[in-house]
């Protein structure tokens, strides 16, 4: 494995082995003002993400060092050139999957609360409304099961609220708890919660739409160097011979790959900042 392609393949394989540790996009938000029981899952998830980030960085450095010891600085450079983009792509893919799952959960929570509010408004008992809506909205299935055995549905919702995209269940739990404690009708409280969650979901969709172009631009900037290399070949040059087979070229390539990956991750992180979490 003395060729550049061989070292890049090895680095890519090491990157695949590290995918399980790619950290979440951002730490739990909106923790201030939450009860400890609601905030704890998000805090644990954020701490786990930091630990995984450290492990992945250490693993990547170790992989580069091992390759460097085995083949010298040139092999370490090839390993870095393969490892950094692979980990960056994995992080972007996992982050995208998390964002889609969170958006689906937010929409389902908002819809479930609206349906429960509608059923209560139509005269159905709140417990019966939750049980009925749970058949169509799986996010309420744990609450329906808790009501069936006489467990505390408020505690169930607060536990679920720690999951990504399910933060609206904390509002539902507070409305349920206050109405039960005060003996007040639950219909108006549920209507307010449902309306607030629908507005938040609409704002989230609007923000994601507005940020989509910025995210696409950041990713486009990351692939422009490859376009430049192609243009170099189109005019008769051989840029890869310089970039991969000379000391100066390898140094430039490593720095360029690192900066392009860092810029892509930074742009994606900035675009993910707005929104409700969990």
């Amino acid at each position: 494995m003395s060729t550049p392609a061989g070292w890049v393949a090895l680095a890519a394989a090491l990157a695949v082995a590290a995918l399980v540790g790619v950290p979440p996009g951002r730490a739990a938000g909106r923790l201030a003002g939450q009860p400890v029981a609601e905030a704890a899952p998000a805090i644990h998830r954020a701490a786990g993400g930091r630990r995984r980030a450290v492990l992945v960085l250490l693993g990547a450095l170790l992989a580069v060092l091992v390759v460097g010891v085995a083949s010298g600085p040139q092999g370490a450079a090839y390993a870095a050139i393969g490892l950094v983009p692979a980990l960056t792509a994995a992080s972007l893919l996992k982050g995208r999957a998390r964002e889609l799952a969170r958006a689906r959960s937010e929409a389902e929570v908002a819809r479930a609360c609206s349906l429960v509010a509608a059923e209560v408004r139509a005269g159905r008992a709140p417990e019966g409304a939750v049980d009925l809506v749970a058949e169509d909205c799986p996010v309420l299935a744990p609450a329906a099961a808790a009501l069936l055995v006489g467990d505390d549905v408020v505690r169930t919702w607060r536990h679920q609220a720690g999951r990504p995209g399910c933060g609206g269940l904390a509002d539902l739990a507070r409305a349920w708890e206050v109405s039960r404690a005060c003996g007040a009708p639950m219909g108006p409280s549920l209507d307010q919660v449902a309306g607030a969650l629908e507005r938040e979901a609409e704002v989230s969709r609007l923000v994601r739409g507005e940020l989509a172009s910025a995210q696409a631009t950041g990713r486009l900037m990351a692939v422009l160097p490859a376009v430049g290399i192609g243009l170099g070949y189109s005019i008769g040059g051989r840029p890869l011979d310089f970039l991969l087979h000379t000391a100066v070229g390898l140094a430039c390539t490593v720095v360029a790959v690192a900066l392009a990956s860092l810029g892509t991750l930074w742009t994606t992180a900035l675009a993910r900042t707005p929104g409700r979490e969990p």
Side-chain angles (χ1 to χ4, degrees):
M1 192 179 294
S2 59
T3 65
W7 289 119
V8 170
L10 174 60
L14 293 172
V16 171
L19 296 188
V20 294
V22 175
R26 60 190 167 97
R30 218 185 68 139
L31 297 182
Q34 288 187 357
V36 174
E38 297 172 21
I43 294 173
H44 294 160
R45 187 168 59 251
R50 287 191 293 270
R51 285 194 296 270
R52 286 191 295 271
V54 172
L55 289 176
V56 169
L57 290 176
L58 291 177
L61 289 175
L62 179 61
V64 172
L65 288 175
V66 168
V67 174
V69 170
S71 63
Q74 189 176 29
Y78 291 145
I81 292 170
L83 187 63
V84 172
L87 287 178
T88 301
S91 178
L92 292 175
L93 290 174
K94 291 189 72 173
R96 177 62 175 168
R98 282 194 302 271
E99 288 294 313
L100 291 176
R102 186 167 67 90
R104 286 194 296 268
S105 296
E106 287 178 352
E108 184 179 359
V109 168
R111 179 170 174 268
C113 290
S114 297
L115 291 176
V116 170
E119 291 293 334
V120 172
R121 198 164 50 244
R124 191 180 297 272
E127 293 81 359
V130 171
D131 185 61
L132 179 65
V133 174
E135 298 177 3
D136 191 41
C137 298
V139 73
L140 292 183
L147 289 171
L148 185 64
V149 298
D151 200 358
D152 186 3
V153 68
V154 172
R155 184 171 64 247
T156 300
W157 278 328
R158 284 179 173 166
H159 177 73
Q160 282 184 271
R163 302 174 184 173
C166 293
L169 291 177
D171 298 335
L172 181 59
R174 283 190 285 270
W176 189 285
E177 185 177 36
V178 170
S179 296
R180 281 286 183 249
C182 300
M186 198 169 294
S189 299
L190 294 179
D191 283 335
Q192 290 182 4
V193 171
L197 292 181
E198 288 176 351
R199 289 189 294 273
E200 284 192 13
E202 181 62 30
V203 170
S204 295
R205 286 192 293 269
L206 178 62
V207 170
R208 283 193 294 270
E210 293 294 331
L211 291 174
S213 60
Q215 291 177 319
T217 300
R219 291 164 189 166
L220 177 62
M221 295 295 292
V223 301
L224 282 181
V227 176
I229 291 174
L231 290 176
Y233 276 102
S234 70
I235 61 176
R238 301 179 64 86
L240 287 182
D241 288 348
F242 168 74
L243 293 174
L244 296 180
H245 297 288
T246 66
V248 175
L250 272 176
C252 292
T253 303
V254 170
V255 173
V257 166
L259 290 178
S261 299
L262 182 61
T264 303
L265 292 174
W266 181 256
T267 302
T268 303
L270 289 177
R272 276 205 304 261
T273 298
R276 174 174 179 155
E277 183 81 15

